[in-house]
Amino acid sequence: MPASLNALSKKIENECGLQEQEFRLQYMDKDFNEFMNLTSVSDLNDKDTVRVVFFTSSSSSFSHMPAESTPLAHSLSSDSCDADTENSSADTDILSSSESTSARSSLWPTPFILPRFPYDVQLKLEQGNSAFKTDGKFCIPDPKLKSGILDVLAEEIINYKAYPSDSEFSDVAEALVAKHPCLKEQGSVSGYSGWKMSLKYKLANYRSRLRRLGCPEVTVNALKHKPEGTSSPAYGIKKPKKAEVNYCPGFPAGETAESQEKMRVDLLAELKKRNNYETVRKMMDMTFAYRRHEIVHDSPLVAAFKSRWPALFQVREINAEFRRITTVPLQSKFLSQLDRFSDDLLKVFTKRGGVVTKRIQDVMVLMSQNGTIETKRECILKGLCIYLNEDPHNLVKEYLDVDSESAEADIKETVMGIYVVKHEFAEATEDPEDVGIVLEGVEVLSGLGNVAMATAMLLGLIYSLNLTYPKELRYTFEVLQKVILELDSNKLSGKAQALKTKLFT
């Protein structure tokens, strides 16, 4: 097995005669049962399947050729092009554009998988582990060995995020001493607290190097990019706060702000054509970094941003944008996880007691009148708000079709929420006339059909537009993000942690 991803790519290039073609590699992830972008050779096992994704033009045209290894290090064979490119591209390509390889393709791994160290470092560690097993002798690494270890770990960490949390630093340090017990620190309770602190300093220095090189994810926090007269480096800190994997990626290779702006204008023209989704999707892929820079740096008003990027305010593109940012599918995971926890949530609700239970019961009456899955999901979401001592009316506002004027006036005053329009004499079993989303007094999406779908799309828009959760619903959205979607699930508030504990006991 080649020691690095570059060496593996070169091996495949030589074996399969791909010297004149640009490509990237994907591997079959056994946990998700789908192809994921390959970022490290440590992800591969013997006889794994590797997919070669070709970059054929700047407009994101690509084809797939699987290359199977049996074992990979000795035999590589290229087969004919994958005929199912349409389905596979939607499911496995986080960013399908040919130059978007700088975008990350996976969440923080649990447990953390150590990369392979340089040969000399690996040799010293093997010798240290051998001495530890025979004599119980701990290794005290010299400065060169320690620096070699920390350099490789910092490079691996940056593949997942530039600003890891304290617990994620602990994951890396714990994985290091677990695989190389000779590095365990004597006198330390955890055995790796010193390594954890060294990793923090090393990554801070690594970020400084990236900042000097112009990496947008860290330059956005540089003092020279703050408003004039600002002396505090902490002013307006812009970091991923909701487990974003691609928070502020760099432009595709060869692209500039001017070329990306031209593509944005071309995208507006493409939107006017019928049955043109594939072209629009590819152009949205290509302009993803440009869009994120605009969102993160300028924080535009929703109305202004919608006029510049109308394609984003569609269900398919909200799903695609959420996946570009987090690598996680939005709609399918949100609804399936909500259904998975529904019965457990109902049991937790009944044990709450007091006035809260009475309010939840009043909301759940609709379930007995209309037993559809959409109604059950809506009642669960409203009950979740009440259980967390928050008002579901702040999330879902209901109006009658006869009160259109008052509804429009109320919508203009709504900062963030979901509106539901019902017929005046509608039965409980009837579907609402319209369900949509309001942001900053602007109706950004309509015709969503039900509240659960609207809630998923609202979450997607919050990520896409880099919005903060409303204070009056912060616990509800925290549970939806960290418990339902399982994003950054290891760091919860007291309320969210208490609910999660009850769900899993």
Side-chain angles (χ1 to χ4, degrees), residues 349 355-364 383 386-387:
F349 293 164
V355 179
V356 172
T357 297
K358 180 64 172 63
R359 291 176 60 201
I360 293 176
Q361 289 173 349
D362 293 341
V363 168
M364 297 299 169
I386 297 171
Y387 182 86

Side-chain angles (χ1 to χ4, degrees), residues 193-225:
S193 56
W195 284 106
K196 175 181 172 181
M197 188 58 63
S198 297
L199 270 173
K200 290 185 175 182
Y201 282 114
K202 175 61 73 171
L203 197 65
N205 293 334
Y206 195 81
R207 283 196 298 263
S208 297
R209 289 163 53 192
L210 294 177
R211 189 175 291 113
R212 288 192 294 270
L213 292 171
C215 176
E217 193 172 18
V218 293
T219 55
V220 69
N221 294 315
L223 185 58
K224 67 179 181 179
H225 292 283

Side-chain angles (χ1 to χ4, degrees), residues 153-382:
L153 291 178
E155 290 180 8
E156 185 69 11
I157 290 172
I158 214 72
N159 287 331
Y160 297 101
K161 54 177 59 180
Y163 296 95
S165 64
D166 184 78
S167 62
E168 288 165 340
F169 277 115
S170 296
D171 291 343
V172 181
E174 184 178 4
L176 177 64
V177 299
K179 187 170 183 178
H180 302 290
C182 65
L183 297 177
K184 191 172 183 179
E185 298 164 339
Q186 302 180 68
S188 170
V189 176
S190 63
Y192 54 78
S193 56
W195 284 106
K196 175 181 172 181
M197 188 58 63
S198 297
L199 270 173
K200 290 185 175 182
Y201 282 114
K202 175 61 73 171
L203 197 65
N205 293 334
Y206 195 81
R207 283 196 298 263
S208 297
R209 289 163 53 192
L210 294 177
R211 189 175 291 113
R212 288 192 294 270
L213 292 171
C215 176
E217 193 172 18
V218 293
T219 55
V220 69
N221 294 315
L223 185 58
K224 67 179 181 179
H225 292 283
K226 309 296 180 185
E228 292 185 8
T230 303
S231 59
S232 172
Y235 177 86
I237 289 293
K238 295 178 174 65
K239 295 180 183 179
K241 297 179 180 178
K242 299 187 290 291
E244 296 96 337
V245 175
N246 294 302
Y247 182 69
C248 189
F251 288 163
E255 294 286 336
T256 63
E258 291 74 19
S259 64
Q260 291 277 282
E261 174 63 19
K262 182 180 182 302
M263 188 175 293
R264 183 194 69 81
V265 175
D266 293 340
L267 178 59
L268 295 177
E270 293 293 334
L271 276 174
K272 298 177 182 179
K273 301 177 182 179
R274 293 183 178 181
N275 302 321
N276 200 30
Y277 170 68
E278 190 61 25
T279 300
V280 170
R281 182 187 67 82
K282 291 174 181 178
M283 296 179 75
M284 289 292 285
D285 278 349
M286 286 293 294
T287 54
F288 170 61
Y290 183 56
R291 204 160 45 251
R292 291 301 295 176
H293 282 229
E294 186 175 333
I295 287 286
V296 173
H297 286 270
D298 303 333
S299 302
L301 294 174
V302 171
F305 191 78
K306 185 181 179 183
S307 65
R308 284 178 54 81
W309 299 95
L312 182 62
F313 295 84
Q314 301 174 8
V315 171
R316 284 189 296 190
E317 277 307 322
I318 292 172
N319 276 301
E321 193 81 349
F322 185 84
R323 187 155 188 166
R324 294 181 191 110
I325 295 170
T326 65
T327 76
V328 172
L330 172 60
Q331 181 180 333
S332 58
K333 183 165 186 177
F334 180 85
L335 296 179
S336 63
Q337 286 285 91
L338 187 61
D339 293 341
R340 172 194 169 194
F341 288 112
S342 289
D343 293 338
D344 293 328
L345 283 168
L346 288 173
K347 292 178 183 178
V348 171
F349 293 164
T350 57
K351 296 178 181 179
R352 185 70 160 81
V355 179
V356 172
T357 297
K358 180 64 172 63
R359 291 176 60 201
I360 293 176
Q361 289 173 349
D362 293 341
V363 168
M364 297 299 169
V365 169
L366 187 60
M367 282 178 56
S368 59
Q369 299 173 344
N370 184 350
T372 63
I373 186 63
E374 290 81 8
T375 301
K376 183 178 181 180
R377 291 167 177 167
E378 177 180 346
C379 293
I380 291 292
L381 289 169
K382 290 180 178 178

Side-chain angles (χ1 to χ4, degrees), residues 402-437:
V402 294
D403 298 329
S404 58
E405 292 185 3
S406 61
E408 289 177 4
D410 192 34
I411 285 175
K412 289 180 180 179
E413 299 296 323
T414 302
V415 177
M416 180 184 295
I418 298 167
Y419 71 83
V420 178
V421 178
K422 296 183 177 180
H423 190 271
E424 183 180 10
F425 302 106
E427 299 290 337
T429 56
E430 292 184 28
D431 294 332
E433 291 205 355
D434 190 20
V435 179
I437 296 174

